[in-house]
Amino acid sequence: MKKSGGLNADRKKIAVVISVVAVIAIAIGAYFADDFIGKKDTDGQNGKSQTDEKYCDISIDLPTLDNEAVSKEIKDYVESKKSEFEQTAKTLPKPEDGVNYNFTAKYETGAVGDTESVHVIISSYTGSGTARFDKSYIYNKKSGAQIKLGDMMESENSLNVFSSLSYRYLNEYSQKNSLSIADENIKGATAANENNFANVLLKEDGIEEIFMPEQLGIEKEAAVTIPYTDLIGTLKKEYLNGAEKSTVKRDLSKFKDKKLICFTFDDGPGGKYTNKLMDNLDKYDARVTFFVVGSRVNSYKSTLKRAYDQGNEIGSHTYSHSNLTKLNDAELKKEINDTNNLIENVTGAKPTLIRPPYGSTNDRVKKTSGMYNILWSIDTLDWKHRDKNKVADAITKNAFDGAIVLMHDIYETSVDGALIAMDKLSKEGYAFVTVDEMRELRGAEWDISKNYTSFKK
Ligand code: ZN
């Protein structure tokens, strides 16, 4: 998966660099401090300057980079912020609470392959809260050229995916740390705008995003890491630190002696109810198959990503729920490809299964789509009656080893009915597997010409 040996070596190198830098930093800090006092002296305020060094602390620790242009840019930026601090501090009285005004600049670095990243952390305290002026720099070590986040993106849609991943991880971070960041602030801080992600670091396992307190409406910054495995298909390969597609495979041997059943859900992703279903799957060691409609994918990206990451199977239900047999080849291809690309952008994996809307398929559809056609053996008619008990009954009364059940996760009654059925069937020795898990457990090979309605023993 990852190049661990090389990174350890790099780490040692970084550790050495940092200790060298620390020594230099003391020197630089002293230089700046002298400079600061010097300014005070020329002010000629009879030794009673309000910016007496006793009331001001300045600490500056800048990286030594192998890139002169970036080094200079960082130095100039820190200088400009430092003089802003000095200008302000000059006008301030002796701090009443005994806490010195202070200005701090420090940094962190991280690298992936030839790409180096530096996050400069600048804080300035002039009596009322600490202001942050962080800035990140990314550049190619070989060419020296600076790189923007946008340059690292795979496609035009990537920033949207990056934004929804950022939302998910920041939201998680906020809850985990009981930060109570307002949802609108999380949305604002992670909206698909490159400026939102001005502070990033390329770490070993993922991109670290540092959100400033004023982005979040709280006192502290927040640092969240999006794993590179989540960014496959979103960032260009050279920025993924060797991350590979996860196959999210379960150990299937535990299901060998069980009766098997596939719960499949069409017409989603369905947001709230899809998430309710997923919240309950672990109880039954269950995974399901979602056949999603392409036109809905971008509205439910985080739900779809969660579904995939949880180990459920994602198949296509076409882009616009079309009757595929009625389309010409070009239209058919577009329905298939648009959907597959949208799904891959979110999950990192291209689907191989399709549930043709209305169960309408033929040889031309199979050949042109190149996907395996999954139909069903138990139709719950959940969309019609919208009754959780009828959904549950349709499943439990007709269940058999190898069955494929058709439902729709856009209805709460369907999700509730499915969960009732799971509870009952689990007591009868059923295991709930995805379509491809069922195929594997039954020792079957995929065949493009077939219509799969069940996997009987
Ligand atoms: Zn449908």
Side-chain angles (χ1 to χ4, degrees), residues 39-307:
K39 265 185 196 151
K40 177 210 72 181
D41 289 348
T42 55
D43 286 341
Q45 292 181 15
N46 305 325
K48 283 196 159 188
S49 165
Q50 289 158 331
T51 59
D52 192 300
E53 73 272 19
K54 270 181 260 173
Y55 311 138
C56 283
D57 298 324
I58 293 181
S59 150
I60 293 173
D61 177 4
L62 299 182
T64 314
L65 305 174
D66 52 3
N67 186 316
E68 258 176 59
V70 177
S71 292
K72 183 173 182 322
E73 208 173 300
I74 293 176
K75 191 167 173 279
D76 290 350
Y77 179 67
V78 171
E79 276 279 2
S80 77
K81 290 294 159 195
K82 192 193 88 168
S83 55
E84 280 172 25
F85 165 78
E86 287 172 339
Q87 291 305 317
T88 308
K90 225 181 246 181
T91 65
L92 299 172
K94 176 180 174 179
E96 279 170 20
D97 54 5
V99 178
N100 279 0
Y101 307 124
N102 60 67
F103 178 87
T104 309
K106 50 187 182 178
Y107 70 95
E108 287 180 281
T109 59
V112 164
D114 291 331
T115 314
E116 182 74 59
S117 64
V118 184
H119 173 221
V120 184
I121 305 153
I122 302 175
S123 61
S124 163
Y125 170 75
T126 48
S128 57
T130 300
R132 290 282 293 265
F133 302 102
D134 295 25
K135 211 171 175 179
S136 283
Y137 301 82
I138 306 172
Y139 64 92
N140 183 291
K141 278 189 259 190
K142 281 189 181 152
S143 71
Q146 285 202 52
I147 299 164
K148 297 254 166 278
L149 189 64
D151 304 330
M152 299 166 63
M153 300 277 178
E154 181 73 59
S155 72
E156 273 177 28
N157 185 45
S158 297
L159 187 60
N160 289 325
V161 179
F162 195 82
S163 152
S164 69
L165 284 168
S166 302
Y167 174 83
R168 184 156 69 87
Y169 280 98
L170 183 57
N171 191 37
E172 237 174 60
Y173 178 90
S174 169
Q175 285 174 5
K176 225 186 246 170
N177 297 285
S178 312
L179 295 177
S180 25
I181 307 171
D183 188 56
E184 56 184 301
N185 289 343
I186 299 180
K187 278 193 184 124
T190 59
N193 176 343
E194 250 192 78
N195 295 332
N196 275 330
F197 312 108
N199 293 301
V200 293
L201 256 186
L202 306 182
K203 293 215 158 171
E204 186 178 353
D205 291 331
I207 285 203
E208 183 179 75
E209 303 173 310
I210 306 99
F211 296 100
M212 294 294 103
E214 57 276 21
Q215 281 180 289
L216 307 173
I218 57 170
E219 300 267 302
K220 271 190 62 134
E221 79 279 2
V224 301
T225 303
I226 306 183
Y228 291 121
T229 45
D230 280 5
L231 290 164
I232 294 168
T234 299
L235 293 190
K236 289 176 187 158
K237 221 176 163 192
E238 64 259 42
Y239 303 114
L240 291 171
N241 206 19
E244 283 163 8
K245 250 175 218 180
S246 123
T247 49
V248 204
K249 265 197 140 206
R250 293 201 285 172
D251 170 23
L252 298 179
S253 60
K254 60 185 170 184
F255 301 131
K256 266 195 175 129
D257 301 320
K258 294 249 181 191
K259 289 183 271 186
L260 305 176
I261 191 162
C262 294
F263 280 29
T264 69
F265 296 88
D266 292 7
D267 294 6
K272 210 164 134 191
Y273 308 135
T274 310
N275 278 292
K276 184 179 182 182
L277 174 70
M278 292 191 282
D279 289 343
N280 287 283
L281 293 180
D282 280 344
K283 251 189 259 178
Y284 306 106
D285 202 359
R287 292 297 180 260
V288 300
T289 306
F290 295 105
F291 291 103
V292 302
V293 175
S295 62
R296 292 176 67 93
V297 164
N298 278 342
S299 309
Y300 295 97
K301 278 187 274 197
S302 57
T303 304
L304 182 61
K305 184 80 177 82
R306 182 187 173 199

